[in-house]
Amino acid sequence: MSTTSSLLLLADERKAQLDLLNKIDESAAVEICNAASGYLFTGLNAKSITNAANHLQLDVEIVRTTIDSLLWLYTECAKSKIATDALDESLKLLGYSTPIRQSFIECYQAKAHQLYTTLANDLALSLPHYENLHWRFDVQIATRSMRNRKQFEPFFIVKLILINGSNKKEQVHVLQVDPLTLVHIVEQLELAMNESRNNHARRIMHTFR
Amino acid sequence: MELNSGIEEDFRRLNNSTFIVDSQYEEFIDKIFSIFASANSNIEFSTSFDKRLVSSILTFIFECVKYDFDETSIRTKLDDLQFTNKIRQDRFLNQFNQHLSVIQLYLKQKSIEHDRLLDVNWRLDLQLKTNYTDKLLQPIYILDWTKREKYTTKIDHIQFSCSQESLQELLEKLKDAQSVLHQMQYQQQTKK
């Protein structure tokens, strides 16, 4: 499927699979669209599909393939962030009648945002993501091997919490930082921060928009 | 400082000129302190001086540094141990003062450690596409923190990503921490 003209163009196989929607009664087709959107986050439930198929007096296998294709279609729309009118146009070109198109678009819009967030964040390839940072300033006064009355060693303890995108597990790192190292790190991160605000970054963002 | 009877006995022997003559003593003491001078701490001692004697002297040295005794206190301590030979005491103290800072550093290292943060590396990326999304226009920072693991010299890296807002938040927190240093500096100056 491509969206180069910002219209959906489906491969013939998919068209065939979705063809059922044209053949059956309109209200039944609307029902199938609704059912499919329900399965987006819970997965296909064999029992309820059988029930739906019997209720609509259709072959179970065909119903299952149709719902599968509908799910795929929802996902593809979310992936390409297609606009509503473009979606409407595409469905018209594929020959679906108005009520079917409307119900599809409604169902899609209801789930679009959530679908997109899941695709972009949960499934994406990513490193552990920053969650939180706690810090503490300590001074070492004495140890077992040094009881010098003049001992005074300042240092920071930093607790970095990261979240792994794929399994939502927390990683906790406890680190000791010397005062000078901290100053150096703050300097470096400030430079990093300023990089995103300078002309080069702005130009690139603008080019791709 | 509490020293066991074995150590006291060893110092008494060390004071005894028949047990160990002056030249031998000087060589011996120099050798002990040279452990701290060189990076290689495997110094061989000839069999005429047993290992116990070496360990007693080392224990005494460490205890003196640990409690930060000054010269008079050390001399008093040596007198208590019946190590009264003035020339030998001088030799000992001479070497002791020479190597004091190194021994202090050595003892300071023997503390409870955490992993240490050494450096931070960063990269700014622009995410355009993934195989699950098109038209993504997301600037993202990738940070790489270099750390040294506790009790070893092994270097490890912590890599993670963060958005612009998260980096801003992180930076604010670290600047907050840095301000503590400024406060300390200010307090010290006002006290003067």
Side-chain angles (χ1 to χ4, degrees), chain A residues 3 79-81 116 119-120 123-125 127-133 135 137 140 143-158 160 162 173-179 181-186 188-197 201 204-205 208-209, chain B residues 62 65-68 103-105 107-108 110-120 122 124 126-128 130-143 145 147 158-171 173-178 180-181 184 188:
Chain A
T3 47
K79 175 174 160 185
S80 58
K81 287 209 291 199
Y116 185 75
L119 286 174
L123 294 173
L125 181 76
L127 292 167
H129 199 84
Y130 165 81
E131 172 74 18
N132 210 346
L133 180 104
W135 63 268
F137 182 61
Q140 184 176 295
T143 69
R144 180 181 168 184
S145 39
M146 271 297 265
R147 315 235 184 119
N148 192 333
R149 293 277 173 266
K150 294 175 237 136
Q151 196 178 29
F152 187 89
E153 300 266 333
F155 57 90
F156 288 92
I157 302 265
V158 153
L160 179 68
L162 306 172
H173 296 272
V174 176
L175 300 161
Q176 180 176 328
V177 192
D178 299 331
T181 318
L182 185 74
V183 173
H184 164 75
I185 288 179
V186 166
Q188 287 300 311
L189 291 182
E190 251 175 347
L191 284 175
M193 206 51 229
N194 291 333
E195 264 311 302
S196 71
R197 294 188 188 133
I204 305 255
M205 291 281 281
F208 281 105
R209 217 176 283 278
Chain B
F62 285 139
V65 177
K66 179 164 122 183
Y67 290 106
D68 195 33
I103 305 174
Q104 277 179 338
L105 271 176
L107 284 182
K108 265 191 199 161
K110 304 276 174 225
S111 66
I112 296 176
E113 277 190 10
H114 295 100
D115 297 341
R116 259 183 192 225
L117 180 60
L118 298 175
D119 200 3
V120 77
W122 59 268
L124 173 58
L126 186 65
Q127 284 184 339
L128 295 176
T130 71
N131 65 335
Y132 293 111
T133 59
D134 298 339
K135 289 191 208 163
L136 190 69
L137 202 71
Q138 178 102 307
I140 193 162
Y141 282 95
I142 300 192
L143 295 181
W145 287 17
K147 73 172 189 187
I158 304 173
Q159 274 193 3
F160 62 97
S161 64
C162 67
S163 63
Q164 241 174 304
E165 296 81 30
S166 303
L167 184 64
Q168 183 75 36
E169 196 191 302
L170 178 62
L171 195 53
K173 291 195 182 173
L174 291 176
K175 276 190 173 161
D176 216 5
Q178 198 186 349
V180 171
L181 292 174
M184 249 180 56
Q188 278 190 337

Side-chain angles (χ1 to χ4, degrees), chain B residues 16-28:
Chain B
N16 190 343
S17 295
T18 51
F19 172 67
I20 169 175
V21 296
D22 277 344
S23 56
Q24 272 183 324
Y25 168 82
E26 281 173 16
E27 204 187 298
F28 184 57

Side-chain angles (χ1 to χ4, degrees), chain A residues 15-32:
Chain A
K15 278 194 210 165
Q17 284 175 340
L18 289 167
D19 211 30
L20 174 71
L21 291 174
N22 280 329
K23 293 197 191 126
I24 59 177
D25 190 26
E26 272 179 7
S27 57
V30 168
E31 225 180 281
I32 290 189

